[in-house]
Amino acid sequence: MGALSIRNITKTFGETQILKGINIDIDAGQFLILVGPSGCGKSTLMNIIAGLEGPSSGEVHIGDRLVNHVAPKDRDIAMVFQSYALYPTMNVRQNIAFGLETRKVPKAEQDETIARVAKMLQIDHLLKRKPGELSGGQRQRVAMGRALARNPKLFLFDEPLSNLDAKLRVEMRAEIKQLHQRLKTTVVYVTHDQIEAMTLGDRIAVMKDGVIQQFGSPQEIYDSPANQFVAGFIGSPSMNFIPVHVAEREGEIGVVLQGDGDARFWPLPDKLQLRERLGQALTLGLRPEQFDLVSAADGLSCKVCITEPTGPDTMLFSQINGKDIIARVHPRHAPQAGESCHLQPDLRKAVLFDPATEARVA
Amino acid sequence: MIEQNRFWRIVVYGSLLIAAVYYLLPLYVMFTTSLKGMEEIRNGNLLSLPLDISLAAWQKAWSSACTGVDCSGLQPYFWNSVLMVVPAVAISTALGAINGYVLSKWQFRGSEIVFGMILFGVFIPFQVLLLPMAQTLGLFGMASSIPGLVFVHVVCGLASTTLFFRNYYVGIPDELIKAARLDGAGFWRIFLRIILPMSTPILTVTVIWQFTQIWNDFLFGVVFSGLDSRPITVGLNNLANTTTSVKEYNVDMAAALIAALPTIIVYVLAGKYFVRGLTAGAVKG
């Protein structure tokens, strides 16, 4: 039995359709990420799961129960908000206790729950403070504590890390993952950050314009994006998109690439079966790490415009077929800006898109 | 450069000082005159300090000055005003808070239009309401009574109090309400436990505003009150217009100060919240 099942959900505000038929099924204990640029409908979908908004059509099942007409408080869910939404006039203990009081949990059990949650999140020493006296990271913990106190069937996180600084974000990300591994509760997590999506998710739903572009495991989505949008959205730096024509040389199907020197033919793997597309213009998708620095004989001569050393890798900004590209190379061999180098594209994992529809063709 | 700065500084502070003196002078004259005897008032200078201070005029204004045929001072009017102002301020503030809460956090289809119509109420001159209000009060059997005055002030104050609270609550993040709903709280529990405790600044503003408006009101007080429900503004007017033999300026001044005292006290006690609350609402709303 699935933990969460969303069937044909649509949502319309006046003339605009925010969600256009969303279908998602996840199993108990899975970590689902809803990711997409702002305005893609992910927060609306989250609100519909929580019951804070109703769908225009479609069904939401939590566990084996249809919850379309169940009030948010009775859905057995807990939510962590982007702004944390801590009650400013109550101290930390009262914040955590509020939901328990409302549910008429006996006092002794309340104290027990608060103690358990406070210990788990290491906020014991903060219980008497008001939210205004806490740092961003502490507020984040309290917000999670409030959700954990409920012991819900489903956790909802609405961009919980967006308001933290970069270092804290990485720390809290790891803690959320640890917490999930320990508690094994089903999680739905909304974010616009593709790194959070990749690192946290068991399943990722990439959304755009109210449609799920692709639903799958992080590795599936990274290695085998369903279309050019997903390919460009997931991964940092983004996948390179190079305009090419499908060509044939000595019986092999491939593409012609040109940097700042002579154009060169590179064969594509046979499994792509591109023979019937001979002569067509396509977009070749290559991730930055699919380039290698090689000696002149094996490589494509490219002029480096900028280098961006990140420490473990150095990013080279260059051009192929007139299009800006980024290559991720080892810093030891990295050329300087203005120099020429030789890049060898690894086409075994290459993907190809239709330039007009942006659909994946191979 | 610095010399020039100092020159302008003196000009600015000088004009501010003159303005302050200009506005404070009447208060000074009222206060000193109320402490003087009639003899001194007739012979002395308007601006001179009282030679021998006497509270007799205050005593008379409070308990024995004539307001028409009745000579028991402002005392009964004062208590009428208190009986009118306390419930009127409490009810109009409470209703305004609930209205503002609904219009900002529980929006329904057409709630913006409702808010627009309420806003319109702020701009309606009260004179327009006199006749229909008199009819309404008659219909409810509340004419010429303190409950009737309370009713009028609540109705007329609602537009402003709703506006104040709505604009303040718009600045409170919606996520708080969502969180509370997920915590299982309903409409009233969210209002009483979460929203109201956050409302101290705007509550202070509204209470001061309503208190001042209602305490100082003369129009409704003179039109809708009966013989035994006249508020202090009407009492003051009657006292000042009742001439026996001589015009007792010291009693008039003491009476005017008695009438103004409660609003001054409220302002002094809660004034700092007033400005703070007004700007907070304005910036966030």
Side-chain angles (χ1 to χ4, degrees):
Chain A
M1 191 63 231
L4 173 69
S5 167
I6 293 165
R7 295 181 197 159
N8 272 319
I9 289 285
T10 66
K11 180 72 180 177
T12 316
F13 283 116
E15 295 285 288
T16 40
Q17 201 170 11
I18 309 282
L19 297 175
K20 304 169 181 165
I22 302 288
N23 285 291
I24 294 175
D25 264 288
I26 54 168
D27 295 327
Q30 281 192 321
F31 202 121
L32 167 69
I33 305 275
L34 302 176
V35 65
S38 42
C40 71
K42 58 191 191 294
S43 289
T44 307
L45 182 58
M46 177 73 112
N47 282 341
I48 289 174
I49 297 172
L52 296 165
E53 286 177 44
S56 302
S57 71
E59 291 180 353
V60 180
H61 296 258
I62 295 175
D64 43 14
R65 187 163 64 128
L66 174 68
V67 294
N68 276 36
H69 300 288
V70 177
K73 67 183 168 82
D74 298 323
R75 291 190 175 196
D76 208 0
I77 53 177
M79 192 158 170
V80 177
F81 294 89
Q82 182 176 1
S83 66
Y84 317 133
L86 299 176
Y87 311 128
T89 55
M90 302 182 195
N91 67 27
V92 169
R93 164 181 284 277
Q94 290 163 328
N95 260 284
I96 299 173
F98 183 74
L100 301 169
E101 273 171 41
T102 312
R103 276 154 218 281
K104 305 205 165 54
V105 174
K107 188 84 178 70
E109 202 184 319
Q110 280 184 29
D111 292 341
E112 203 180 297
T113 308
I114 293 170
R116 170 176 63 84
V117 167
K119 187 153 172 272
M120 192 190 304
L121 293 169
Q122 294 149 26
I123 48 173
D124 325 49
H125 58 297
L126 305 174
L127 286 177
K128 293 218 171 67
R129 298 220 202 142
K130 294 264 176 73
E133 299 158 357
L134 303 177
S135 70
Q138 289 171 331
R139 281 181 219 183
Q140 171 67 56
R141 276 167 200 276
V142 175
M144 295 206 320
R146 191 170 61 178
L148 282 173
R150 284 258 278 293
N151 218 350
K153 206 175 277 169
L154 187 63
F155 266 123
L156 306 176
F157 287 87
D158 190 1
E159 309 217 12
L161 304 182
S162 312
N163 288 357
L164 298 177
D165 63 58
K167 187 165 180 289
L168 208 50
R169 198 179 308 168
V170 175
E171 280 173 32
M172 290 307 293
R173 197 170 74 200
E175 269 189 55
I176 290 176
K177 186 153 193 173
Q178 228 170 33
L179 211 59
H180 174 248
Q181 278 168 0
R182 187 135 51 109
L183 298 172
K184 307 238 174 349
T185 313
T186 317
V187 174
V188 180
Y189 188 108
V190 166
T191 180
H192 61 263
D193 182 324
Q194 52 88 24
I195 297 180
E196 271 173 41
M198 288 295 290
T199 51
L200 287 172
D202 292 320
R203 316 286 287 159
I204 299 180
V206 184
M207 294 179 66
K208 186 194 171 205
D209 299 334
V211 177
I212 291 187
Q213 306 289 321
Q214 190 171 3
F215 181 56
S217 72
Q219 207 59 50
E220 271 167 38
I221 285 178
Y222 190 78
D223 289 339
S224 182
N227 56 40
Q228 198 175 329
F229 170 77
V230 175
F233 191 79
I234 299 288
S236 173
S238 274
M239 185 184 268
N240 298 301
F241 297 116
I242 304 163
V244 292
H245 284 88
V246 181
E248 186 176 14
R249 294 279 160 88
E250 294 156 12
E252 278 191 304
I253 300 294
V255 290
V256 175
L257 300 178
Q258 184 175 32
D260 67 343
D262 294 334
R264 252 188 90 162
F265 176 82
W266 300 86
L268 285 165
D270 292 336
K271 63 172 191 234
L272 296 181
Q273 299 183 338
L274 288 165
R275 192 162 287 281
E276 68 265 32
R277 293 189 184 267
L278 215 58
Q280 275 185 20
L282 293 178
T283 303
L284 172 69
L286 277 178
R287 297 219 175 259
E289 64 270 24
Q290 288 169 314
F291 288 100
D292 281 321
L293 271 179
V294 292
S295 63
D298 303 323
L300 185 65
S301 171
C302 292
K303 191 175 162 119
V304 178
C305 315
I306 319 175
T307 63
E308 264 187 5
T310 63
D313 303 303
T314 296
M315 307 297 165
L316 304 183
F317 288 62
S318 183
Q319 282 201 329
I320 292 178
N321 286 9
K323 189 88 196 296
D324 292 332
I325 61 120
I326 301 177
R328 185 199 295 263
V329 299
H330 196 280
R332 197 183 311 159
H333 312 295
Q336 296 296 309
E339 291 177 359
S340 269
C341 66
H342 290 88
L343 293 174
Q344 184 184 48
D346 176 1
L347 295 180
R348 280 169 304 174
K349 282 188 170 181
V351 286
L352 288 141
F353 304 99
D354 184 316
T357 63
E358 302 201 341
R360 173 97 176 263
V361 296
Chain B
M1 195 63 199
I2 289 170
E3 277 305 303
Q4 205 179 1
N5 249 336
R6 172 175 291 179
F7 170 75
W8 283 112
R9 198 143 277 248
I10 290 169
V11 169
V12 167
Y13 281 109
S15 12
L16 286 175
L17 196 70
I18 291 169
V21 169
Y22 182 79
Y23 279 102
L24 283 173
L25 211 53
L27 185 67
Y28 167 80
V29 171
M30 281 172 77
F31 190 64
T32 51
T33 307
S34 75
L35 297 175
K36 292 174 185 172
M38 278 312 288
E39 191 64 23
E40 201 185 329
I41 294 172
R42 267 193 292 273
N43 300 333
N45 182 324
L46 193 66
L47 292 178
S48 67
L49 284 165
L51 293 174
D52 95 85
I53 293 171
S54 141
L55 289 173
W58 283 74
Q59 187 98 45
K60 186 169 183 193
W62 177 248
S63 55
S64 65
C66 294
T67 53
V69 273
D70 178 38
C71 288
S72 50
L74 280 183
Q75 199 179 1
Y77 299 94
F78 186 89
W79 294 120
N80 280 345
S81 266
V82 170
L83 287 178
M84 168 187 77
V85 131
V86 173
V89 169
I91 296 171
S92 61
T93 304
L95 289 178
I98 296 166
N99 281 350
Y101 172 53
V102 171
L103 290 173
S104 58
K105 296 289 170 245
W106 295 83
Q107 295 194 336
F108 47 91
R109 197 180 289 270
S111 61
E112 285 299 302
I113 295 170
V114 171
F115 177 62
M117 279 156 60
I118 292 178
L119 201 59
F120 197 65
V122 176
F123 304 110
I124 292 182
F126 289 151
Q127 285 82 350
V128 173
L129 301 176
L130 290 180
L131 276 178
M133 190 58 91
Q135 282 184 314
T136 311
L137 288 177
L139 205 66
F140 290 167
M142 293 199 292
S144 310
S145 70
I146 288 178
L149 282 173
V150 171
F151 177 79
V152 173
H153 284 301
V154 167
V155 169
C156 292
L158 261 186
S160 322
T161 59
T162 301
L163 175 69
F164 289 166
F165 279 102
R166 186 262 182 197
N167 284 357
Y168 185 75
Y169 289 157
V170 159
I172 293 179
D174 288 340
E175 287 194 344
L176 269 186
I177 310 292
K178 290 185 185 176
R181 282 175 66 195
L182 283 165
D183 265 342
F187 181 89
W188 288 109
R189 195 171 155 81
I190 295 174
F191 180 64
L192 296 174
R193 291 286 309 274
I194 293 164
I195 300 296
L196 214 50
M198 296 172 71
S199 309
T200 318
I202 199 66
L203 271 174
T204 320
V205 169
T206 313
V207 165
I208 293 180
W209 178 267
Q210 282 298 90
F211 188 92
T212 315
Q213 291 286 314
I214 299 174
W215 186 273
N216 289 345
D217 165 71
F218 179 71
L219 180 68
F220 292 147
V222 81
V223 174
F224 295 130
S225 63
L227 265 186
D228 53 358
S229 58
R230 299 217 191 284
I232 191 150
T233 43
V234 179
L236 178 63
N237 173 68
N238 292 358
L239 182 143
N241 284 339
T242 305
T243 29
T244 42
S245 48
V246 277
K247 189 94 183 131
E248 291 181 294
Y249 292 108
N250 50 357
V251 177
D252 288 357
M253 293 305 174
L257 282 172
I258 288 172
L261 218 49
T263 48
I264 294 177
I265 289 172
V266 167
Y267 216 97
V268 169
L269 288 184
K272 66 176 181 187
Y273 290 102
F274 187 72
V275 179
R276 210 185 288 164
L278 269 188
T279 49
V283 172
K284 279 187 178 168

Short mmCIF file of all heavy atoms in Angstrom, two decimals, chain A residues 235-268:
data_model
loop_
_atom_site.label_atom_id
_atom_site.label_comp_id
_atom_site.label_asym_id
_atom_site.label_seq_id
_atom_site.Cartn_x
_atom_site.Cartn_y
_atom_site.Cartn_z
N GLY A 235 21.56 19.25 -11.87
CA GLY A 235 23.00 19.24 -12.13
C GLY A 235 23.57 20.64 -12.06
O GLY A 235 22.93 21.60 -12.50
N SER A 236 24.75 20.75 -11.45
CA SER A 236 25.37 22.06 -11.32
C SER A 236 26.87 21.91 -11.48
O SER A 236 27.48 21.11 -10.79
CB SER A 236 25.04 22.65 -9.95
OG SER A 236 25.77 23.84 -9.76
N PRO A 237 27.52 22.61 -12.40
CA PRO A 237 26.88 23.50 -13.39
C PRO A 237 25.96 22.72 -14.33
O PRO A 237 26.06 21.50 -14.40
CB PRO A 237 28.06 24.08 -14.17
CG PRO A 237 29.29 23.69 -13.42
CD PRO A 237 28.96 22.55 -12.55
N SER A 238 25.10 23.43 -15.03
CA SER A 238 24.12 22.80 -15.90
C SER A 238 24.74 21.97 -17.01
O SER A 238 25.88 22.19 -17.39
CB SER A 238 23.29 23.88 -16.60
OG SER A 238 22.24 24.26 -15.83
N MET A 239 23.93 21.07 -17.54
CA MET A 239 24.33 20.33 -18.73
C MET A 239 24.59 21.31 -19.87
O MET A 239 23.92 22.33 -19.98
CB MET A 239 23.22 19.35 -19.11
CG MET A 239 23.56 18.44 -20.26
SD MET A 239 22.17 17.39 -20.72
CE MET A 239 22.48 15.95 -19.75
N ASN A 240 25.61 20.99 -20.71
CA ASN A 240 25.87 21.82 -21.90
C ASN A 240 24.97 21.38 -23.04
O ASN A 240 24.78 20.18 -23.26
CB ASN A 240 27.32 21.64 -22.34
CG ASN A 240 28.28 22.08 -21.26
OD1 ASN A 240 28.25 23.23 -20.83
ND2 ASN A 240 29.12 21.16 -20.80
N PHE A 241 24.40 22.35 -23.72
CA PHE A 241 23.55 22.03 -24.88
C PHE A 241 24.23 22.56 -26.13
O PHE A 241 24.38 23.76 -26.30
CB PHE A 241 22.17 22.63 -24.71
CG PHE A 241 21.42 22.07 -23.52
CD1 PHE A 241 21.07 22.87 -22.46
CD2 PHE A 241 21.10 20.71 -23.48
CE1 PHE A 241 20.40 22.35 -21.37
CE2 PHE A 241 20.44 20.18 -22.39
CZ PHE A 241 20.09 21.00 -21.33
N ILE A 242 24.65 21.65 -27.01
CA ILE A 242 25.42 22.04 -28.19
C ILE A 242 24.63 21.72 -29.46
O ILE A 242 24.17 20.58 -29.63
CB ILE A 242 26.76 21.26 -28.23
CG1 ILE A 242 27.53 21.50 -26.91
CG2 ILE A 242 27.59 21.65 -29.43
CD1 ILE A 242 28.62 20.51 -26.67
N PRO A 243 24.43 22.71 -30.32
CA PRO A 243 23.69 22.44 -31.57
C PRO A 243 24.54 21.58 -32.51
O PRO A 243 25.71 21.89 -32.75
CB PRO A 243 23.46 23.83 -32.16
CG PRO A 243 24.49 24.71 -31.54
CD PRO A 243 24.85 24.12 -30.21
N VAL A 244 23.98 20.48 -32.99
CA VAL A 244 24.73 19.58 -33.89
C VAL A 244 23.84 19.12 -35.04
O VAL A 244 22.62 19.27 -34.99
CB VAL A 244 25.23 18.32 -33.13
CG1 VAL A 244 26.30 18.67 -32.11
CG2 VAL A 244 24.06 17.59 -32.48
N HIS A 245 24.48 18.56 -36.07
CA HIS A 245 23.76 17.86 -37.14
C HIS A 245 24.19 16.40 -37.10
O HIS A 245 25.38 16.11 -36.90
CB HIS A 245 24.10 18.45 -38.51
CG HIS A 245 23.40 19.75 -38.75
ND1 HIS A 245 23.92 20.96 -38.36
CD2 HIS A 245 22.20 20.01 -39.34
CE1 HIS A 245 23.08 21.93 -38.69
NE2 HIS A 245 22.02 21.39 -39.27
N VAL A 246 23.25 15.50 -37.29
CA VAL A 246 23.59 14.09 -37.34
C VAL A 246 24.29 13.82 -38.67
O VAL A 246 23.76 14.18 -39.72
CB VAL A 246 22.34 13.21 -37.19
CG1 VAL A 246 22.73 11.74 -37.21
CG2 VAL A 246 21.60 13.54 -35.91
N ALA A 247 25.50 13.24 -38.61
CA ALA A 247 26.28 13.02 -39.84
C ALA A 247 26.76 11.58 -39.89
O ALA A 247 26.69 10.84 -38.90
CB ALA A 247 27.47 13.98 -39.86
N GLU A 248 27.26 11.17 -41.08
CA GLU A 248 27.78 9.82 -41.25
C GLU A 248 29.19 9.91 -41.81
O GLU A 248 29.46 10.66 -42.75
CB GLU A 248 26.88 9.00 -42.18
CG GLU A 248 27.31 7.57 -42.27
CD GLU A 248 26.34 6.74 -43.12
OE1 GLU A 248 25.52 7.35 -43.83
OE2 GLU A 248 26.45 5.51 -43.07
N ARG A 249 30.14 9.17 -41.21
CA ARG A 249 31.51 9.07 -41.74
C ARG A 249 31.92 7.62 -41.70
O ARG A 249 31.89 7.00 -40.63
CB ARG A 249 32.51 9.86 -40.89
CG ARG A 249 32.33 11.35 -40.88
CD ARG A 249 32.96 12.03 -42.10
NE ARG A 249 32.36 13.34 -42.27
CZ ARG A 249 32.82 14.44 -41.66
NH1 ARG A 249 33.87 14.37 -40.89
NH2 ARG A 249 32.22 15.60 -41.83
N GLU A 250 32.26 7.10 -42.84
CA GLU A 250 32.75 5.71 -42.93
C GLU A 250 31.83 4.74 -42.22
O GLU A 250 32.24 3.91 -41.41
CB GLU A 250 34.18 5.61 -42.34
CG GLU A 250 35.20 6.40 -43.15
CD GLU A 250 36.42 6.79 -42.30
OE1 GLU A 250 36.54 6.24 -41.20
OE2 GLU A 250 37.21 7.61 -42.78
N GLY A 251 30.54 4.92 -42.47
CA GLY A 251 29.56 3.97 -41.94
C GLY A 251 29.15 4.23 -40.49
O GLY A 251 28.23 3.60 -39.98
N GLU A 252 29.83 5.16 -39.84
CA GLU A 252 29.48 5.45 -38.44
C GLU A 252 28.62 6.70 -38.36
O GLU A 252 28.85 7.68 -39.05
CB GLU A 252 30.76 5.65 -37.61
CG GLU A 252 31.38 4.35 -37.17
CD GLU A 252 32.48 4.62 -36.14
OE1 GLU A 252 33.40 5.39 -36.45
OE2 GLU A 252 32.38 4.08 -35.04
N ILE A 253 27.64 6.66 -37.45
CA ILE A 253 26.78 7.81 -37.20
C ILE A 253 27.40 8.64 -36.07
O ILE A 253 27.85 8.09 -35.06
CB ILE A 253 25.37 7.36 -36.77
CG1 ILE A 253 24.72 6.50 -37.86
CG2 ILE A 253 24.49 8.58 -36.46
CD1 ILE A 253 24.44 7.25 -39.14
N GLY A 254 27.42 9.96 -36.25
CA GLY A 254 28.00 10.80 -35.21
C GLY A 254 27.69 12.26 -35.43
O GLY A 254 26.76 12.60 -36.16
N VAL A 255 28.47 13.13 -34.76
CA VAL A 255 28.24 14.57 -34.89
C VAL A 255 29.57 15.27 -35.15
O VAL A 255 30.64 14.75 -34.80
CB VAL A 255 27.62 15.16 -33.61
CG1 VAL A 255 26.20 14.68 -33.44
CG2 VAL A 255 28.45 14.83 -32.39
N VAL A 256 29.50 16.45 -35.71
CA VAL A 256 30.69 17.24 -35.98
C VAL A 256 30.76 18.35 -34.93
O VAL A 256 29.80 19.09 -34.74
CB VAL A 256 30.64 17.84 -37.39
CG1 VAL A 256 31.83 18.77 -37.61
CG2 VAL A 256 30.63 16.74 -38.42
N LEU A 257 31.89 18.43 -34.25
CA LEU A 257 32.07 19.47 -33.25
C LEU A 257 33.25 20.34 -33.63
O LEU A 257 34.23 19.86 -34.20
CB LEU A 257 32.33 18.85 -31.86
CG LEU A 257 31.23 17.95 -31.30
CD1 LEU A 257 31.67 17.39 -29.95
CD2 LEU A 257 29.92 18.70 -31.15
N GLN A 258 33.18 21.62 -33.31
CA GLN A 258 34.25 22.54 -33.64
C GLN A 258 34.47 23.52 -32.50
O GLN A 258 33.54 24.16 -32.02
CB GLN A 258 33.90 23.31 -34.92
CG GLN A 258 35.02 24.22 -35.36
CD GLN A 258 34.71 24.89 -36.68
OE1 GLN A 258 33.57 25.16 -36.98
NE2 GLN A 258 35.75 25.13 -37.47
N GLY A 259 35.72 23.61 -32.05
CA GLY A 259 36.06 24.58 -31.01
C GLY A 259 36.64 25.81 -31.68
O GLY A 259 35.94 26.46 -32.46
N ASP A 260 37.94 26.13 -31.39
CA ASP A 260 38.55 27.27 -32.09
C ASP A 260 39.45 26.81 -33.22
O ASP A 260 40.15 27.59 -33.85
CB ASP A 260 39.33 28.15 -31.09
CG ASP A 260 40.55 27.44 -30.54
OD1 ASP A 260 40.60 26.19 -30.66
OD2 ASP A 260 41.42 28.10 -29.97
N GLY A 261 39.49 25.48 -33.46
CA GLY A 261 40.35 24.97 -34.53
C GLY A 261 39.54 24.25 -35.59
O GLY A 261 38.45 24.70 -35.95
N ASP A 262 40.07 23.14 -36.08
CA ASP A 262 39.38 22.39 -37.12
C ASP A 262 38.18 21.63 -36.55
O ASP A 262 38.21 21.18 -35.42
CB ASP A 262 40.35 21.37 -37.75
CG ASP A 262 41.45 22.09 -38.51
OD1 ASP A 262 41.20 23.24 -38.94
OD2 ASP A 262 42.55 21.52 -38.60
N ALA A 263 37.15 21.49 -37.40
CA ALA A 263 36.00 20.69 -37.01
C ALA A 263 36.40 19.22 -37.00
O ALA A 263 37.25 18.80 -37.78
CB ALA A 263 34.85 20.92 -37.98
N ARG A 264 35.79 18.44 -36.06
CA ARG A 264 36.13 17.02 -35.97
C ARG A 264 34.88 16.20 -35.82
O ARG A 264 33.91 16.62 -35.20
CB ARG A 264 37.03 16.79 -34.76
CG ARG A 264 38.45 16.50 -35.11
CD ARG A 264 39.23 16.10 -33.89
NE ARG A 264 39.18 14.65 -33.70
CZ ARG A 264 40.03 14.00 -32.93
NH1 ARG A 264 40.97 14.64 -32.27
NH2 ARG A 264 39.93 12.69 -32.80
N PHE A 265 34.93 15.01 -36.38
CA PHE A 265 33.78 14.10 -36.32
C PHE A 265 33.91 13.19 -35.11
O PHE A 265 34.98 12.65 -34.84
CB PHE A 265 33.70 13.28 -37.59
CG PHE A 265 32.62 12.24 -37.58
CD1 PHE A 265 31.30 12.60 -37.88
CD2 PHE A 265 32.89 10.91 -37.24
CE1 PHE A 265 30.30 11.65 -37.85
CE2 PHE A 265 31.88 9.97 -37.20
CZ PHE A 265 30.58 10.33 -37.52
N TRP A 266 32.82 13.05 -34.34
CA TRP A 266 32.83 12.15 -33.19
C TRP A 266 31.68 11.17 -33.34
O TRP A 266 30.53 11.57 -33.42
CB TRP A 266 32.64 12.93 -31.88
CG TRP A 266 33.71 13.95 -31.64
CD1 TRP A 266 33.74 15.21 -32.11
CD2 TRP A 266 34.92 13.75 -30.93
NE1 TRP A 266 34.89 15.85 -31.73
CE2 TRP A 266 35.64 14.97 -30.98
CE3 TRP A 266 35.49 12.67 -30.24
CZ2 TRP A 266 36.88 15.13 -30.39
CZ3 TRP A 266 36.71 12.85 -29.64
CH2 TRP A 266 37.41 14.08 -29.70
N PRO A 267 31.99 9.88 -33.35
CA PRO A 267 30.91 8.90 -33.49
C PRO A 267 30.07 8.81 -32.21
O PRO A 267 30.59 9.02 -31.11
CB PRO A 267 31.67 7.59 -33.71
CG PRO A 267 33.03 7.81 -33.14
CD PRO A 267 33.33 9.26 -33.28
N LEU A 268 28.77 8.57 -32.42
CA LEU A 268 27.87 8.38 -31.29
C LEU A 268 27.66 6.87 -31.10
O LEU A 268 27.78 6.11 -32.04
CB LEU A 268 26.52 9.06 -31.57
CG LEU A 268 26.51 10.57 -31.46
CD1 LEU A 268 25.25 11.15 -32.11
CD2 LEU A 268 26.59 11.01 -30.00
#
